[in-house]
Amino acid sequence: MSILSGKNILLGVTAGIAAYKSASLVREFIKAGASVKVVMTPASKDFVTPLTLSTLSKNPVESHFYEKDNDNELWNNHVELGLWADYFVIAPATANTMSKMANGTCDNLLLATYLSAKCPVYVAPAMDLDMYIHQSTVNTFAKLKSFGNIIIPATSGELASGLVGQGRMAEPNEIVTFITSDILSQLPLKDKKVLITAGPTYEALDPVRFIGNHSSGKMGFELAKAAANLGAQVILVTGPTNLSLTNNLITVIPVISAEDMYVACHEHFKSIDIGIAAAAVADYRPKKVAVNKIKKKESTLTLELEKTKDILASLGAIKTHQFLVGFALETNNEIEHAKSKLIRKNLDLIVLNSLNDKGAGFKTATNKVTLIDKQDSIQEFPLKSKTEVAKDIINEIIVRYA
Ligand code: CTP
């Protein structure tokens, strides 16, 4: 999954020959999982049709302050459009439009939207080589940069004029790569490695049976997504679940038993920065695993169980620089039990679930958590979706770790 997945991208198209590439750019953004809207300058329609861009973006293209719909005139709200956008990408950006942007000129919808947008603005210039190096253009770039706009440098090659030099708009895939790397470079967990355990573990009794639990793995998977969305490289060690995800920042390591999970976690622990144990690991496992299927001979069957290794406690015992987070599912004296777990397992933060809270714990789409840290600060959160809870937990880790 790309960092652009789920994001709103507003593509501004201005009147340069490179506008024919805007169609591919819309496709690239859509492929990355973004929602795309397009705003065009009136003159850019001579280079690429609004029909092409609205079909590819699956949204109406806007280019005037108002539209005529039969006898009605409908106001196109540039403020709304600017606020909708998570990112505003102007590609191609002509020398004319950039100069107007630098000077606050507001004579078309694209420029009015630019002046209203609060999101990061990326500008991919396209022009002839002499225009690109003209002092006026150089000054424009400096001014736009001073506003916080990000310039995606033009590349060198044959230009529309037939001359060869710098001024060609970056290719659509290069623009997407540039924006993706730029966003990633600013994320708080960039270059951080996060290990997360999720799901239940299955402890075999014989070749066909196991002791397991009802954990769905959802909390751990949501934590993995939340960490990756903030730029982390995630190693997700998960017991058997029905969940799946594709995100190039998340490596999923499927395991079955507590012992498998222990081995996988220790294999990666040295190299990680943050560890989060969200798995519902079996505390006990059958002492002997029958080689063949157990036959029902007797009227009762007694299983002898032995303790599994406590993965989190074992990581806490060897941790050096790692920030370690555990979960505690409690039914009584919740705060007290969670605090003692935090100390016993040498954690930095513990996420407490109380089974007394409706909507918290296993198999639900929601969770209600209380966070307790090493400094004894206690923070209660309301009932939220596990997606939102995961974001809260990751944000609290960042506050304490970064
Ligand atoms: N955990 C673990 N390995 C185990 C058991 C638990 O890594 N063998 C982790 C869980 O992922 C969780 C935390 O330890 O983050 C708390 O687990 P829990 O079972 O609630 O606590 P225990 O220490 O096992 O104590 P008790 O069951 O007695 O409450």
Side-chain angles (χ1 to χ4, degrees):
M1 198 179 74
S2 159
I3 199 78
L4 297 176
S5 174
K7 296 286 189 281
N8 292 338
I9 297 182
L10 180 61
L11 176 64
V13 180
T14 72
I17 185 68
Y20 79 91
K21 294 184 188 171
S22 304
S24 307
L25 188 53
V26 173
R27 289 273 301 127
E28 293 280 341
F29 286 140
I30 297 274
K31 246 178 29 200
S35 298
V36 182
K37 287 187 182 178
V38 180
V39 57
M40 301 177 79
T41 59
S44 71
K45 293 181 191 171
D46 292 336
F47 295 88
V48 61
T49 70
L51 181 62
T52 304
L53 298 178
S54 64
T55 307
L56 292 172
S57 66
K58 302 181 186 81
N59 275 311
V61 168
E62 304 197 15
S63 63
H64 294 290
F65 285 106
Y66 62 90
E67 304 284 344
K68 261 199 179 338
D69 178 21
N70 299 326
D71 285 337
N72 298 321
E73 287 185 346
L74 302 172
W75 172 247
N76 280 330
N77 192 333
H78 58 273
V79 177
E80 213 168 83
L81 202 54
L83 293 180
W84 172 85
D86 293 311
Y87 302 104
F88 190 7
V89 182
I90 303 174
T94 56
N96 181 41
T97 289
M98 284 189 298
S99 159
K100 289 179 178 181
M101 287 162 65
N103 291 295
T105 308
C106 185
D107 60 1
N108 63 44
L109 186 70
L110 187 150
L111 290 164
T113 308
Y114 166 72
L115 288 175
S116 323
K118 292 197 168 69
C119 62
V121 178
Y122 292 91
V123 182
M127 65 197 76
D128 217 55
L129 76 168
D130 294 318
M131 293 166 80
Y132 197 75
I133 52 171
H134 193 281
Q135 192 55 47
S136 155
T137 311
V138 173
N139 292 352
T140 295
F141 285 155
K143 220 164 171 189
L144 292 180
K145 280 184 192 166
S146 77
F147 298 160
N149 299 164
I150 305 130
I151 311 285
I152 304 174
T155 58
S156 287
E158 193 182 331
L159 303 165
S161 61
L163 298 172
V164 176
Q166 192 175 12
R168 205 159 73 166
M169 185 179 86
E171 292 301 322
N173 65 330
E174 291 167 343
I175 292 178
V176 174
T177 306
F178 183 99
I179 295 172
T180 307
S181 332
D182 186 67
I183 295 169
L184 280 173
S185 73
Q186 293 169 44
L187 291 176
L189 290 179
K190 184 196 167 261
D191 294 334
K192 295 283 176 258
K193 260 190 158 183
V194 180
L195 172 73
I196 297 174
T197 68
T201 63
Y202 287 179
E203 309 303 325
L205 279 167
D206 69 15
V208 293
R209 302 184 181 94
F210 60 84
I211 299 175
N213 61 63
H214 288 302
S215 166
S216 63
K218 184 149 174 67
M219 196 63 245
F221 274 65
E222 290 300 334
L223 283 163
K225 284 191 259 175
N229 280 341
L230 295 181
Q233 295 271 355
V234 179
I235 299 163
L236 177 64
V237 181
T238 174
T241 73
N242 292 323
L243 304 173
S244 63
L245 44 77
T246 39
N247 182 321
N248 51 16
L249 285 172
I250 305 176
T251 306
V252 180
I253 302 180
V255 295
I256 307 283
S257 67
E259 183 62 24
D260 298 341
M261 194 174 269
Y262 177 92
V263 172
C265 288
H266 277 271
E267 199 176 309
H268 295 281
F269 190 65
K270 271 205 183 104
S271 68
I272 63 137
D273 302 286
I274 296 165
I276 311 174
V281 187
D283 288 328
Y284 291 91
R285 66 179 177 193
K287 194 161 183 187
K288 280 200 189 98
V289 182
V291 180
N292 297 312
K293 189 180 167 202
I294 301 168
K295 288 291 188 191
K296 48 174 186 303
K297 282 185 247 153
E298 315 295 337
S299 59
T300 61
L301 174 70
T302 306
L303 294 174
E304 195 183 347
L305 303 179
E306 64 181 5
K307 263 196 173 165
T308 56
K309 290 173 188 153
D310 188 320
I311 303 165
L312 182 58
S314 71
L315 300 177
I318 58 165
K319 82 167 190 191
T320 49
H321 59 284
Q322 294 90 344
F323 188 93
L324 205 51
V325 184
F327 274 69
L329 182 62
E330 309 291 345
T331 54
N332 61 315
N333 294 337
E334 292 96 330
I335 299 276
E336 199 184 307
H337 282 141
K339 273 188 185 175
S340 90
K341 240 168 240 181
L342 176 120
I343 295 165
R344 186 157 39 88
K345 300 193 186 197
N346 194 22
L347 308 179
D348 298 282
L349 185 71
I350 194 153
V351 183
L352 164 66
N353 291 133
S354 168
L355 268 192
N356 298 320
D357 287 325
K358 247 185 148 194
F362 281 7
K363 273 193 154 173
T364 60
T366 53
N367 209 351
K368 184 172 183 320
V369 298
T370 300
L371 302 192
I372 307 171
D373 71 11
K374 254 195 336 207
Q375 282 73 39
D376 245 2
S377 120
I378 300 177
Q379 238 177 316
E380 264 189 57
F381 290 81
L383 185 73
K384 293 186 179 188
S385 70
K386 284 187 175 167
T387 311
E388 293 305 311
V389 172
K391 287 184 198 163
D392 286 341
I393 294 171
I394 298 293
N395 286 340
E396 291 303 322
I397 292 172
I398 292 169
V399 167
R400 287 163 177 82
Y401 176 79

Short mmCIF file of all heavy atoms in Angstrom, two decimals, residues 337-381:
data_model
loop_
_atom_site.label_atom_id
_atom_site.label_comp_id
_atom_site.label_asym_id
_atom_site.label_seq_id
_atom_site.Cartn_x
_atom_site.Cartn_y
_atom_site.Cartn_z
N HIS A 337 -3.21 -4.20 38.51
CA HIS A 337 -2.63 -5.34 37.79
C HIS A 337 -1.81 -4.88 36.59
O HIS A 337 -0.73 -5.42 36.33
CB HIS A 337 -3.74 -6.30 37.32
CG HIS A 337 -4.26 -7.17 38.41
ND1 HIS A 337 -5.59 -7.49 38.56
CD2 HIS A 337 -3.63 -7.78 39.43
CE1 HIS A 337 -5.75 -8.26 39.62
NE2 HIS A 337 -4.57 -8.44 40.17
N ALA A 338 -2.34 -3.89 35.88
CA ALA A 338 -1.62 -3.41 34.69
C ALA A 338 -0.28 -2.78 35.10
O ALA A 338 0.75 -3.03 34.46
CB ALA A 338 -2.48 -2.39 33.95
N LYS A 339 -0.30 -2.01 36.19
CA LYS A 339 0.94 -1.37 36.65
C LYS A 339 1.97 -2.43 37.03
O LYS A 339 3.16 -2.28 36.74
CB LYS A 339 0.65 -0.50 37.88
CG LYS A 339 0.21 0.90 37.55
CD LYS A 339 0.15 1.69 38.84
CE LYS A 339 -0.39 3.07 38.63
NZ LYS A 339 -0.57 3.79 39.90
N SER A 340 1.51 -3.48 37.70
CA SER A 340 2.48 -4.49 38.14
C SER A 340 3.04 -5.24 36.93
O SER A 340 4.21 -5.61 36.89
CB SER A 340 1.88 -5.42 39.20
OG SER A 340 1.29 -6.52 38.59
N LYS A 341 2.22 -5.41 35.88
CA LYS A 341 2.71 -6.05 34.64
C LYS A 341 3.76 -5.16 33.97
O LYS A 341 4.76 -5.65 33.46
CB LYS A 341 1.52 -6.24 33.68
CG LYS A 341 1.29 -7.68 33.31
CD LYS A 341 -0.03 -7.89 32.62
CE LYS A 341 -0.89 -8.86 33.42
NZ LYS A 341 -2.18 -9.13 32.79
N LEU A 342 3.50 -3.85 33.99
CA LEU A 342 4.43 -2.89 33.37
C LEU A 342 5.81 -3.01 34.02
O LEU A 342 6.84 -3.03 33.34
CB LEU A 342 3.87 -1.48 33.51
CG LEU A 342 4.74 -0.33 33.01
CD1 LEU A 342 4.01 0.44 31.91
CD2 LEU A 342 5.11 0.64 34.11
N ILE A 343 5.81 -3.13 35.34
CA ILE A 343 7.09 -3.21 36.06
C ILE A 343 7.72 -4.59 35.85
O ILE A 343 8.89 -4.70 35.49
CB ILE A 343 6.87 -2.92 37.57
CG1 ILE A 343 6.41 -1.46 37.72
CG2 ILE A 343 8.14 -3.20 38.38
CD1 ILE A 343 5.82 -1.13 39.07
N ARG A 344 6.91 -5.65 36.04
CA ARG A 344 7.42 -7.03 35.94
C ARG A 344 8.01 -7.31 34.56
O ARG A 344 9.03 -7.97 34.44
CB ARG A 344 6.26 -7.99 36.25
CG ARG A 344 6.62 -9.45 36.34
CD ARG A 344 5.60 -10.23 37.19
NE ARG A 344 4.23 -9.81 36.97
CZ ARG A 344 3.42 -10.32 36.02
NH1 ARG A 344 3.85 -11.26 35.23
NH2 ARG A 344 2.18 -9.87 35.89
N LYS A 345 7.39 -6.76 33.52
CA LYS A 345 7.86 -7.07 32.16
C LYS A 345 8.81 -5.99 31.61
O LYS A 345 9.20 -6.02 30.46
CB LYS A 345 6.67 -7.27 31.22
CG LYS A 345 5.74 -8.42 31.66
CD LYS A 345 4.75 -8.84 30.61
CE LYS A 345 3.78 -9.87 31.15
NZ LYS A 345 3.05 -10.62 30.13
N ASN A 346 9.15 -5.00 32.49
CA ASN A 346 10.09 -3.94 32.12
C ASN A 346 9.64 -3.17 30.88
O ASN A 346 10.36 -3.01 29.91
CB ASN A 346 11.50 -4.52 31.90
CG ASN A 346 12.56 -3.43 31.85
OD1 ASN A 346 12.35 -2.33 32.37
ND2 ASN A 346 13.68 -3.72 31.21
N LEU A 347 8.39 -2.68 30.93
CA LEU A 347 7.79 -1.98 29.79
C LEU A 347 7.92 -0.47 29.95
O LEU A 347 8.16 0.03 31.05
CB LEU A 347 6.31 -2.35 29.67
CG LEU A 347 5.98 -3.84 29.65
CD1 LEU A 347 4.48 -4.06 29.54
CD2 LEU A 347 6.70 -4.53 28.51
N ASP A 348 7.72 0.23 28.84
CA ASP A 348 7.68 1.70 28.89
C ASP A 348 6.24 2.19 28.94
O ASP A 348 5.95 3.28 29.41
CB ASP A 348 8.36 2.26 27.64
CG ASP A 348 9.82 1.85 27.61
OD1 ASP A 348 10.60 2.48 28.34
OD2 ASP A 348 10.15 0.88 26.92
N LEU A 349 5.33 1.37 28.40
CA LEU A 349 3.93 1.76 28.32
C LEU A 349 3.08 0.50 28.31
O LEU A 349 3.48 -0.50 27.70
CB LEU A 349 3.72 2.54 27.01
CG LEU A 349 2.37 3.17 26.74
CD1 LEU A 349 2.14 4.37 27.68
CD2 LEU A 349 2.30 3.67 25.28
N ILE A 350 1.92 0.56 28.99
CA ILE A 350 1.02 -0.59 28.93
C ILE A 350 -0.38 -0.12 28.55
O ILE A 350 -0.82 0.96 28.97
CB ILE A 350 1.05 -1.43 30.24
CG1 ILE A 350 0.38 -2.79 29.99
CG2 ILE A 350 0.41 -0.70 31.41
CD1 ILE A 350 0.88 -3.89 30.90
N VAL A 351 -1.03 -0.91 27.71
CA VAL A 351 -2.37 -0.58 27.23
C VAL A 351 -3.34 -1.49 27.97
O VAL A 351 -3.30 -2.71 27.80
CB VAL A 351 -2.49 -0.84 25.71
CG1 VAL A 351 -3.87 -0.44 25.21
CG2 VAL A 351 -1.40 -0.12 24.94
N LEU A 352 -4.17 -0.88 28.79
CA LEU A 352 -5.08 -1.68 29.61
C LEU A 352 -6.45 -1.76 28.96
O LEU A 352 -7.05 -0.76 28.58
CB LEU A 352 -5.20 -1.01 31.00
CG LEU A 352 -6.36 -1.45 31.89
CD1 LEU A 352 -6.21 -2.91 32.31
CD2 LEU A 352 -6.43 -0.56 33.14
N ASN A 353 -6.94 -3.01 28.83
CA ASN A 353 -8.33 -3.26 28.42
C ASN A 353 -9.02 -3.82 29.63
O ASN A 353 -8.52 -4.78 30.21
CB ASN A 353 -8.44 -4.38 27.37
CG ASN A 353 -7.86 -4.02 26.04
OD1 ASN A 353 -7.11 -4.80 25.46
ND2 ASN A 353 -8.20 -2.87 25.54
N SER A 354 -10.16 -3.27 29.94
CA SER A 354 -10.93 -3.88 31.02
C SER A 354 -12.09 -4.65 30.41
O SER A 354 -12.83 -4.11 29.58
CB SER A 354 -11.46 -2.81 31.97
OG SER A 354 -12.40 -3.41 32.83
N LEU A 355 -12.22 -5.89 30.79
CA LEU A 355 -13.34 -6.68 30.27
C LEU A 355 -14.67 -6.17 30.82
O LEU A 355 -15.74 -6.58 30.36
CB LEU A 355 -13.16 -8.16 30.58
CG LEU A 355 -12.44 -8.97 29.50
CD1 LEU A 355 -12.56 -10.46 29.75
CD2 LEU A 355 -12.97 -8.65 28.10
N ASN A 356 -14.61 -5.29 31.83
CA ASN A 356 -15.84 -4.70 32.37
C ASN A 356 -16.39 -3.61 31.46
O ASN A 356 -17.52 -3.17 31.61
CB ASN A 356 -15.59 -4.13 33.77
CG ASN A 356 -15.18 -5.23 34.72
OD1 ASN A 356 -15.73 -6.33 34.66
ND2 ASN A 356 -14.20 -4.96 35.57
N ASP A 357 -15.55 -3.15 30.52
CA ASP A 357 -16.01 -2.10 29.59
C ASP A 357 -16.69 -2.74 28.40
O ASP A 357 -16.08 -3.58 27.72
CB ASP A 357 -14.82 -1.26 29.10
CG ASP A 357 -14.30 -0.35 30.18
OD1 ASP A 357 -15.12 0.13 30.99
OD2 ASP A 357 -13.08 -0.16 30.23
N LYS A 358 -17.91 -2.33 28.14
CA LYS A 358 -18.63 -2.85 26.97
C LYS A 358 -17.93 -2.39 25.70
O LYS A 358 -17.52 -1.25 25.59
CB LYS A 358 -20.07 -2.30 26.98
CG LYS A 358 -21.09 -3.38 27.20
CD LYS A 358 -22.48 -2.85 27.09
CE LYS A 358 -23.36 -3.95 26.53
NZ LYS A 358 -24.63 -3.44 26.08
N GLY A 359 -17.77 -3.32 24.75
CA GLY A 359 -17.17 -2.94 23.46
C GLY A 359 -15.66 -3.02 23.46
O GLY A 359 -15.03 -2.66 22.48
N ALA A 360 -15.06 -3.48 24.58
CA ALA A 360 -13.60 -3.59 24.63
C ALA A 360 -13.19 -5.05 24.54
O ALA A 360 -13.94 -5.94 24.91
CB ALA A 360 -13.09 -2.99 25.93
N GLY A 361 -11.97 -5.28 24.05
CA GLY A 361 -11.41 -6.63 24.09
C GLY A 361 -11.51 -7.40 22.80
O GLY A 361 -11.48 -6.83 21.71
N PHE A 362 -11.66 -8.73 22.90
CA PHE A 362 -11.62 -9.65 21.76
C PHE A 362 -12.82 -9.49 20.84
O PHE A 362 -13.92 -9.17 21.28
CB PHE A 362 -11.67 -11.09 22.29
CG PHE A 362 -10.35 -11.59 22.80
CD1 PHE A 362 -9.26 -10.75 22.91
CD2 PHE A 362 -10.21 -12.91 23.19
CE1 PHE A 362 -8.05 -11.22 23.38
CE2 PHE A 362 -9.02 -13.38 23.66
CZ PHE A 362 -7.94 -12.55 23.76
N LYS A 363 -12.60 -9.81 19.59
CA LYS A 363 -13.68 -10.01 18.61
C LYS A 363 -14.54 -8.78 18.33
O LYS A 363 -15.53 -8.88 17.61
CB LYS A 363 -14.59 -11.17 19.07
CG LYS A 363 -14.09 -12.53 18.60
CD LYS A 363 -15.15 -13.57 18.79
CE LYS A 363 -15.00 -14.73 17.84
NZ LYS A 363 -15.95 -15.79 18.15
N THR A 364 -14.28 -7.66 18.95
CA THR A 364 -15.08 -6.47 18.69
C THR A 364 -14.34 -5.57 17.70
O THR A 364 -13.12 -5.69 17.55
CB THR A 364 -15.31 -5.65 19.99
OG1 THR A 364 -14.02 -5.27 20.47
CG2 THR A 364 -16.04 -6.46 21.04
N ALA A 365 -15.10 -4.68 17.04
CA ALA A 365 -14.44 -3.73 16.13
C ALA A 365 -14.01 -2.50 16.91
O ALA A 365 -13.36 -1.61 16.38
CB ALA A 365 -15.40 -3.34 15.03
N THR A 366 -14.42 -2.44 18.19
CA THR A 366 -14.10 -1.26 19.01
C THR A 366 -13.20 -1.67 20.18
O THR A 366 -13.03 -2.85 20.47
CB THR A 366 -15.39 -0.66 19.59
OG1 THR A 366 -16.10 -1.68 20.27
CG2 THR A 366 -16.25 -0.05 18.51
N ASN A 367 -12.70 -0.67 20.84
CA ASN A 367 -11.89 -0.93 22.04
C ASN A 367 -11.91 0.31 22.94
O ASN A 367 -12.12 1.43 22.47
CB ASN A 367 -10.44 -1.26 21.64
CG ASN A 367 -9.78 -2.18 22.66
OD1 ASN A 367 -10.34 -2.43 23.73
ND2 ASN A 367 -8.60 -2.66 22.34
N LYS A 368 -11.73 0.07 24.21
CA LYS A 368 -11.66 1.19 25.16
C LYS A 368 -10.41 0.94 25.98
O LYS A 368 -10.30 -0.10 26.63
CB LYS A 368 -12.90 1.19 26.04
CG LYS A 368 -12.97 2.36 26.99
CD LYS A 368 -14.30 2.40 27.68
CE LYS A 368 -14.46 3.61 28.59
NZ LYS A 368 -13.29 3.98 29.37
N VAL A 369 -9.48 1.85 25.89
CA VAL A 369 -8.19 1.58 26.53
C VAL A 369 -7.80 2.67 27.53
O VAL A 369 -8.27 3.81 27.45
CB VAL A 369 -7.04 1.45 25.48
CG1 VAL A 369 -7.30 0.28 24.54
CG2 VAL A 369 -6.84 2.74 24.71
N THR A 370 -6.95 2.26 28.46
CA THR A 370 -6.30 3.21 29.36
C THR A 370 -4.81 2.99 29.20
O THR A 370 -4.36 1.84 29.20
CB THR A 370 -6.72 2.92 30.82
OG1 THR A 370 -8.14 3.05 30.91
CG2 THR A 370 -6.05 3.87 31.80
N LEU A 371 -4.06 4.07 29.01
CA LEU A 371 -2.61 3.92 28.85
C LEU A 371 -1.92 4.32 30.15
O LEU A 371 -2.23 5.35 30.74
CB LEU A 371 -2.08 4.82 27.72
CG LEU A 371 -2.66 4.62 26.32
CD1 LEU A 371 -1.83 5.38 25.29
CD2 LEU A 371 -2.72 3.16 25.95
N ILE A 372 -1.00 3.47 30.57
CA ILE A 372 -0.23 3.76 31.78
C ILE A 372 1.24 3.69 31.39
O ILE A 372 1.67 2.72 30.76
CB ILE A 372 -0.52 2.72 32.88
CG1 ILE A 372 -2.03 2.62 33.12
CG2 ILE A 372 0.23 3.05 34.17
CD1 ILE A 372 -2.44 1.48 34.02
N ASP A 373 1.99 4.74 31.72
CA ASP A 373 3.41 4.69 31.36
C ASP A 373 4.29 4.53 32.59
O ASP A 373 3.80 4.46 33.72
CB ASP A 373 3.80 5.90 30.49
CG ASP A 373 3.84 7.21 31.27
OD1 ASP A 373 3.76 7.19 32.53
OD2 ASP A 373 3.93 8.28 30.62
N LYS A 374 5.60 4.44 32.31
CA LYS A 374 6.61 4.20 33.35
C LYS A 374 6.59 5.28 34.42
O LYS A 374 6.94 5.05 35.56
CB LYS A 374 7.98 4.23 32.67
CG LYS A 374 8.58 2.88 32.53
CD LYS A 374 10.06 2.84 32.21
CE LYS A 374 10.74 3.99 31.54
NZ LYS A 374 11.92 3.56 30.77
N GLN A 375 6.20 6.50 34.01
CA GLN A 375 6.18 7.63 34.95
C GLN A 375 4.87 7.65 35.73
O GLN A 375 4.58 8.60 36.43
CB GLN A 375 6.35 8.95 34.22
CG GLN A 375 7.78 9.28 33.81
CD GLN A 375 8.27 8.43 32.66
OE1 GLN A 375 7.53 8.14 31.73
NE2 GLN A 375 9.52 8.00 32.73
N ASP A 376 4.07 6.59 35.57
CA ASP A 376 2.81 6.45 36.32
C ASP A 376 1.71 7.38 35.82
O ASP A 376 0.73 7.60 36.52
CB ASP A 376 3.05 6.74 37.81
CG ASP A 376 2.81 5.48 38.62
OD1 ASP A 376 2.50 4.45 37.99
OD2 ASP A 376 2.91 5.55 39.85
N SER A 377 1.89 7.95 34.62
CA SER A 377 0.79 8.78 34.11
C SER A 377 -0.29 7.85 33.57
O SER A 377 0.00 6.87 32.87
CB SER A 377 1.33 9.76 33.06
OG SER A 377 0.70 9.56 31.83
N ILE A 378 -1.53 8.16 33.91
CA ILE A 378 -2.66 7.31 33.50
C ILE A 378 -3.57 8.13 32.60
O ILE A 378 -4.01 9.22 32.97
CB ILE A 378 -3.45 6.83 34.74
CG1 ILE A 378 -2.51 6.02 35.65
CG2 ILE A 378 -4.66 5.99 34.32
CD1 ILE A 378 -3.15 5.55 36.93
N GLN A 379 -3.85 7.58 31.41
CA GLN A 379 -4.65 8.33 30.43
C GLN A 379 -5.79 7.44 29.97
O GLN A 379 -5.55 6.38 29.38
CB GLN A 379 -3.77 8.58 29.22
CG GLN A 379 -3.58 10.00 28.86
CD GLN A 379 -2.62 10.08 27.67
OE1 GLN A 379 -1.59 9.39 27.65
NE2 GLN A 379 -2.95 10.90 26.71
N GLU A 380 -7.01 7.87 30.23
CA GLU A 380 -8.18 7.07 29.80
C GLU A 380 -8.70 7.57 28.48
O GLU A 380 -8.83 8.77 28.27
CB GLU A 380 -9.29 7.23 30.83
CG GLU A 380 -9.31 6.13 31.86
CD GLU A 380 -10.57 6.21 32.71
OE1 GLU A 380 -11.66 6.17 32.14
OE2 GLU A 380 -10.40 6.35 33.95
N PHE A 381 -9.02 6.67 27.58
CA PHE A 381 -9.58 7.04 26.28
C PHE A 381 -11.02 6.54 26.18
O PHE A 381 -11.34 5.49 26.75
CB PHE A 381 -8.75 6.45 25.13
CG PHE A 381 -7.39 7.09 24.99
CD1 PHE A 381 -6.34 6.71 25.80
CD2 PHE A 381 -7.18 8.09 24.05
CE1 PHE A 381 -5.09 7.30 25.68
CE2 PHE A 381 -5.95 8.69 23.92
CZ PHE A 381 -4.90 8.30 24.73
#
